[in-house]
Amino acid sequence: MSQHEVIIILDPALTEDGVEREISGVREIAAKKGGEVLEVQKWGKKRLAYEVKKRREGQYVLMKMGGMGKVVADLERHFRITETILKGMIVRAEEHRGKRFKTKSQATLAGSTMITTQEVGDGELQ
């Protein structure tokens, strides 16, 4: 199942109920197309780097979603037509990989006369 992260910036004037309404609207759109919201993180009100729809602040919400096959286009359309959503972005979340690089076997390393460092696991040097 593909996982995506959906980040939306909401109007800073929205109350807590308004934020919940927007989150439930995104949940409904995802549910109609077979997706599901796995996690919701409300980051709160933050200052924007530049003005968006004449606003300098926005309320950030991050949602992790699964099963997003046909949902992306509907969500992007919803972001464009909803006035309280200043900006929205959908990105595919990377899957965690066990090891980034292959390690050489001990027999190969023992026969080598040159000392080298290798990157193993999540970028650790050995």
Side-chain angles (χ1 to χ4, degrees):
M1 175 192 326
S2 66
Q3 288 194 350
H4 289 73
E5 291 181 348
V6 177
I7 300 172
I8 55 175
I9 304 172
L10 300 170
D11 190 335
L14 279 178
T15 63
E16 187 65 30
D17 293 335
V19 172
E20 286 298 324
R21 260 194 315 274
E22 292 303 328
I23 291 171
S24 66
V26 171
R27 283 183 198 265
E28 288 174 16
I29 292 170
K32 285 180 186 175
K33 296 289 184 170
E36 63 176 331
V37 177
L38 304 173
E39 180 183 346
V40 176
Q41 296 176 9
K42 296 178 196 169
W43 291 352
K45 194 181 292 188
K46 298 192 181 286
R47 185 167 175 79
L48 302 173
Y50 54 90
E51 213 171 86
V52 178
K53 293 186 181 177
K54 299 183 182 180
R55 305 286 198 297
R56 294 295 295 172
E57 290 185 331
Q59 296 189 44
Y60 283 73
V61 177
L62 170 71
M63 290 181 267
K64 295 185 180 182
M65 305 180 93
M68 292 279 292
K70 301 174 183 174
V71 181
V72 175
D74 288 346
L75 281 178
E76 288 176 345
R77 180 179 177 278
H78 178 72
F79 296 161
R80 282 193 308 272
I81 63 174
T82 306
E83 289 182 23
T84 55
I85 296 178
L86 303 180
K87 208 161 194 53
M89 182 170 40
I90 303 169
V91 294
R92 187 183 340 218
E94 285 188 18
E95 296 176 12
H96 180 68
R97 297 182 184 161
K99 292 195 173 197
R100 274 179 40 188
F101 300 97
K102 293 182 180 179
T103 59
K104 293 184 179 179
S105 68
Q106 290 296 345
T108 307
L109 291 175
S112 175
T113 56
M114 196 166 53
I115 300 173
T116 61
T117 59
Q118 337 176 248
E119 201 170 318
V120 183
D122 290 329
E124 303 161 358
L125 290 177
Q126 281 190 343

